[in-house]
Amino acid sequence: MVRKREIIDEIEDVYRNALEELALIKDADSIENWSRRYLGRKGKINSLFSVFAELSPEEKRQAGARLNEIKNELGNAYEKRKEKSGRKKGDKVSLLFPGKPCEVGYLHPVTIVTRKMTDIFAKMGFGIVTGPEIERDYYNFTALNIPDEHPSKDVWDTFYITEKEKILLRTHTSPVQIRIMEKVKPPLRVVAVGKCFRRDDVDATHSPVFHQMEGLMVDRDIKFSHLKGILTHFITQMFGDNTKVKFTPSFFPFTEPSAEVSMTCNICNGKGCSTCHDTGYIEVLGCGMVHPQVFRNVGYDVSRFTGFAFGMGIERLAIIKFGITDIRYFYQNDLRFIRQFS
Ligand code: DAH
């Protein structure tokens, strides 16, 4: 019994002393020193646990509980005291050392290229618009003069959300053309950027989700030469003044005539390599004069207005611009890849 009293008194003494000492401490180093002496592995509190040997089990339990309580309280007092102390005059801090560098974020290459593209068109007076990623069959296909039997409407190419109401994930940004023309009367000059979706298997050049930019200009007397001028300016701004641009006849249901645009391969400078299949040119986009049926679908007067449209894949442009070898890198969220382009 006597032994128990002694032990309890000893515990309480240590507790009181610890608090008194802590209250008198003035600098950060001494707080740490105090913590080591009382709360450290070989500190006073831990050493008190070992003097319990002569107590009965019940007494051990009581003394142990009290000691644990004290340990917690001293721990809290230590945290509070440390917080309050902050940095005091006399602490050894050199203001001559540089601060810890703070890592800023990086723009994703798709964002970098998108901004560059929209900047170039904005300087030519194009507005920037967006449209829904979940689209109606009418806007994605019908209004663009794409017939029902067109292979791109196949369930193997398009993600359908509902079969009956014909709602789908847009397969290109061209439906934004229709939406904007339904709202705005000519003249108009816009580019639309956004995500598109196709049922492609993932490989080095295909991704079921990707980005496109669409362009549309409508006014009186718009000619193919305007289209050529605008797109040639865009490509040389994007890839350098020495880039040569080539227009080749092609087909799209929503343009007539239609063309594919290629530029000199920036890997071999037009000499011929594996990237351009030895042709010296790589295809970058599709374009053409807006088909009169598309204008009729939105109620534009085809006797007064003409226009051109173009569409391109943003990942594709980024791949060409930065020499990226695999489209999958864009979506793996690997900082070692992403931080290379800012
Ligand atoms: N929508 C086409 C595609 O996804 C790209 C395109 C081609 C858009 C010609 C156009 C255009 O506006 O005139 O492949």
Side-chain angles (χ1 to χ4, degrees):
M1 200 56 208
V2 172
R3 186 62 191 140
K4 181 190 163 195
R5 258 284 42 93
E6 277 172 24
I7 292 174
I8 295 287
D9 286 349
E10 207 177 326
I11 291 174
E12 294 303 329
D13 278 351
V14 170
Y15 179 44
R16 217 174 310 112
N17 288 342
L19 287 180
E20 276 169 20
E21 272 183 42
L22 188 63
L24 294 174
I25 283 173
K26 294 226 161 37
D27 62 302
D29 285 352
S30 309
I31 301 177
E32 292 311 317
N33 190 315
W34 174 92
S35 156
R36 225 171 298 124
R37 269 186 301 119
Y38 283 97
L39 299 170
R41 203 159 50 84
K42 291 187 180 152
K44 289 193 178 164
I45 298 290
N46 272 352
S47 70
L48 284 174
F49 277 108
S50 55
V51 301
F52 287 359
E54 296 159 37
L55 300 179
S56 72
E58 175 54 23
E59 288 166 346
K60 266 188 202 158
R61 206 187 53 72
Q62 279 176 17
R66 176 66 186 140
L67 199 52
N68 272 325
E69 211 173 274
I70 286 174
K71 198 175 174 182
N72 281 340
E73 272 177 40
L74 290 182
N76 291 341
Y78 161 70
E79 290 299 335
K80 259 196 213 136
R81 184 68 187 77
K82 210 166 58 161
E83 222 170 83
K84 227 172 69 187
S85 89
R87 275 205 178 281
K88 286 264 156 55
K89 236 165 118 192
D91 274 4
K92 292 189 185 91
V93 174
S94 169
L95 299 179
L96 297 175
F97 279 119
K100 271 195 189 155
C102 155
E103 195 172 15
V104 290
Y106 300 89
L107 290 181
H108 192 281
V110 169
T111 307
I112 296 172
V113 169
T114 304
R115 288 191 182 175
K116 176 124 183 102
M117 292 163 79
T118 47
D119 274 359
I120 297 169
F121 283 107
K123 283 185 185 142
M124 293 192 278
F126 282 73
I128 293 150
V129 294
T130 54
E133 290 168 3
I134 298 174
E135 206 25 299
R136 291 181 189 284
D137 173 275
Y138 174 76
Y139 289 100
N140 196 77
F141 296 120
T142 318
L144 287 161
N145 202 31
I146 301 177
D148 272 347
E149 65 276 12
H150 197 278
S152 65
K153 294 193 71 171
D154 200 290
V155 285
W156 300 112
D157 285 319
T158 300
F159 288 109
Y160 286 93
I161 292 177
T162 59
E163 196 58 66
K164 239 174 52 222
E165 298 99 56
K166 303 204 168 161
I167 294 177
L168 44 82
L169 296 182
R170 68 176 177 197
T171 60
H172 51 179
T173 41
S174 303
V176 186
Q177 283 185 32
I178 305 296
R179 290 188 172 273
I180 196 83
M181 286 193 285
E182 281 183 347
K183 280 207 206 95
V184 181
K185 294 277 157 255
L188 85 103
R189 243 188 286 191
V190 291
V191 286
V193 183
K195 284 194 186 69
C196 302
F197 309 83
R198 288 187 197 171
R199 283 189 70 165
D200 281 327
D201 286 334
V202 177
D203 64 23
T205 53
H206 293 88
S207 161
V209 185
F210 59 100
H211 299 78
Q212 276 194 350
M213 175 188 269
E214 185 82 15
L216 175 71
M217 178 165 182
V218 185
D219 205 339
R220 289 171 188 271
D221 291 327
I222 296 288
K223 302 184 181 71
F224 200 91
S225 51
H226 295 121
L227 170 60
K228 277 186 89 171
I230 296 252
L231 288 182
T232 305
H233 177 74
F234 165 69
I235 289 173
T236 49
Q237 286 286 298
M238 199 72 199
F239 294 100
D241 284 341
N242 294 331
T243 316
K244 283 201 206 103
V245 181
K246 192 165 78 174
F247 288 73
T248 318
S250 184
F251 173 79
F252 298 102
F254 31 92
T255 44
E256 180 58 35
S258 306
E260 248 154 39
V261 180
S262 320
M263 60 174 235
T264 35
C265 176
N266 66 338
I267 306 287
C268 61
N269 281 325
K271 286 190 199 77
C273 67
S274 61
T275 302
C276 61
H277 304 293
D278 285 328
T279 60
Y281 279 87
I282 33 184
E283 193 205 306
V284 276
L285 61 96
C287 65
M289 302 305 290
V290 179
H291 196 294
Q293 187 54 47
V294 173
F295 279 159
R296 278 186 218 109
N297 292 343
V298 296
Y300 276 15
D301 183 348
V302 294
S303 67
R304 292 172 64 205
F305 298 110
T306 50
F308 62 75
F310 54 87
M312 59 193 114
I314 295 178
E315 280 84 349
R316 177 154 175 81
L317 255 72
I319 281 172
I320 298 169
K321 186 160 178 61
F322 297 126
I324 295 165
T325 50
D326 195 317
I327 197 170
R328 286 170 287 202
Y329 289 137
F330 288 117
Y331 317 114
Q332 286 165 341
N333 213 16
D334 186 338
L335 278 180
R336 289 171 305 175
F337 170 74
I338 291 170
R339 60 159 65 109
Q340 294 178 60
F341 307 98
S342 294

